[in-house]
Amino acid sequence: MYVANKRRSVREAGMRDVHRSLPQGATQKQVAACIDELAADPHISGILLQLPLPGQLDAASLIDRIPVGKDVDGLTTASAGLLARGEYGLRPCTPSGVIELLNSAGVPTKGAHAVVVGRSQLVGRPMAQLLLLRDATTTLAHRHTTDLTAVTRTADILVVATGICGLIGPEHVKPGATVIDVGIHRTPTGLTGDVRAGELNSIASLITPVPGGVGPMTIAMLMANTLQAARWTHHPAHPH
Ligand code: ADP
């Protein structure tokens, strides 16, 4: 679903869609060669490696073959380092989409208590770092957090990315909080998130829907990153 949506968005944005589909049994060497070829091609502004990969492949070392200037998913070690230091770079799309949602809804981050549930490389960790860069007091909760409810109940902004359907309910949410649901699950009754949104109507002041909330923003940020990458390639001294 995501790949098809990304490819359509690329074309709609007037960018060239270069899709390389490798066989399920592709070797590390074959995938590496494909990335290296795109990395060397001056006509290619952005590269992303669609995850998850089949078990025989080591994703981290393949991702790190993507040059930092073309890393439109923001997942290389180099991009993660730039983010951790608060320096200019391409940011992971889902967390930067969440920041855009907060901005567009006028939710202040400065001084707010932001709690992120989930510490994945893809979402939770970069999310916490972006919120920190926006001057939020940031707490990162995860599967070993002792009393998750007590932690989330203090959040002004609650971002949930655990991959656990319906984990967060009314008992976890402070009245008036802004709740961002990054989860997406296919259930017999349709798509739903990590948050039981229907139970939060009278508690949260704002809540993102699933589907239609964070997902489309992720793709929009991928387009923005690709444009940013193209500019960065052409004007490396003046990235802004
Ligand atoms: P995603 O790709 O959505 O970020 P991952 O499976 O990579 O998902 O990561 C899931 C994250 O959710 C992990 O950081 C894990 O610690 C966290 N998590 C899983 N279960 C719980 C839980 N019951 N309470 C809090 N955090 C949880």
Side-chain angles (χ1 to χ4, degrees), residues 157-229:
I157 299 167
L158 179 59
V159 184
V160 188
T162 64
I164 298 177
C165 188
L167 176 72
I168 299 297
E171 69 278 17
H172 293 94
V173 178
K174 176 165 103 174
T178 296
V179 181
I180 309 276
D181 189 354
V182 182
I184 187 156
H185 308 273
R186 213 178 278 278
T187 71
T189 52
L191 293 174
T192 164
D194 289 1
V195 177
R196 285 171 266 141
E199 299 174 30
L200 295 184
N201 288 334
S202 57
I203 301 172
S205 68
L206 291 167
I207 181 159
T208 58
V210 178
V214 172
M217 285 308 293
T218 297
I219 295 179
M221 298 319 292
L222 178 64
M223 301 304 112
N225 273 356
T226 308
L227 182 60
Q228 188 185 335

Side-chain angles (χ1 to χ4, degrees), residues 117-124 141-145 148 161-164 167:
V117 188
R119 58 176 169 178
S120 71
Q121 302 288 352
L122 201 60
V123 185
H142 47 78
R143 65 177 80 245
H144 301 293
T145 297
L148 184 66
T162 64
I164 298 177
L167 176 72

Side-chain angles (χ1 to χ4, degrees), residues 28-234:
Q28 186 85 4
K29 224 170 153 179
Q30 285 171 323
V31 184
C34 179
I35 294 171
D36 292 352
E37 182 201 323
L38 297 169
D41 186 340
H43 301 294
I44 301 291
S45 303
I47 303 170
L48 71 87
L49 181 61
Q50 185 62 44
L51 304 174
L53 296 180
Q56 77 275 13
L57 299 172
D58 171 27
S61 67
L62 289 169
I63 287 170
D64 273 339
R65 300 183 87 92
I66 299 172
V68 68
K70 296 188 180 187
D71 177 21
V72 289
D73 261 350
L75 294 180
T76 60
T77 304
S79 293
L82 292 170
L83 171 57
R85 288 167 61 143
E87 290 176 20
Y88 182 84
L90 297 164
R91 308 305 194 207
C93 299
T94 299
S96 59
V98 170
I99 296 291
E100 284 297 322
L101 283 172
L102 293 172
N103 283 346
S104 70
V107 177
T109 52
K110 192 173 192 155
H113 185 204
V115 174
V116 179
V117 188
R119 58 176 169 178
S120 71
Q121 302 288 352
L122 201 60
V123 185
R125 275 166 210 242
M127 185 75 253
Q129 282 166 333
L130 282 175
L131 287 162
L132 207 52
L133 288 174
R134 300 274 165 162
D135 297 324
T137 302
T138 305
T139 303
L140 189 48
H142 47 78
R143 65 177 80 245
H144 301 293
T145 297
T146 312
D147 188 348
L148 184 66
T149 310
V151 172
T152 58
R153 276 191 77 86
T154 64
D156 303 306
I157 299 167
L158 179 59
V159 184
V160 188
T162 64
I164 298 177
C165 188
L167 176 72
I168 299 297
E171 69 278 17
H172 293 94
V173 178
K174 176 165 103 174
T178 296
V179 181
I180 309 276
D181 189 354
V182 182
I184 187 156
H185 308 273
R186 213 178 278 278
T187 71
T189 52
L191 293 174
T192 164
D194 289 1
V195 177
R196 285 171 266 141
E199 299 174 30
L200 295 184
N201 288 334
S202 57
I203 301 172
S205 68
L206 291 167
I207 181 159
T208 58
V210 178
V214 172
M217 285 308 293
T218 297
I219 295 179
M221 298 319 292
L222 178 64
M223 301 304 112
N225 273 356
T226 308
L227 182 60
Q228 188 185 335
R231 289 191 174 132
W232 197 7
T233 306
H234 292 293

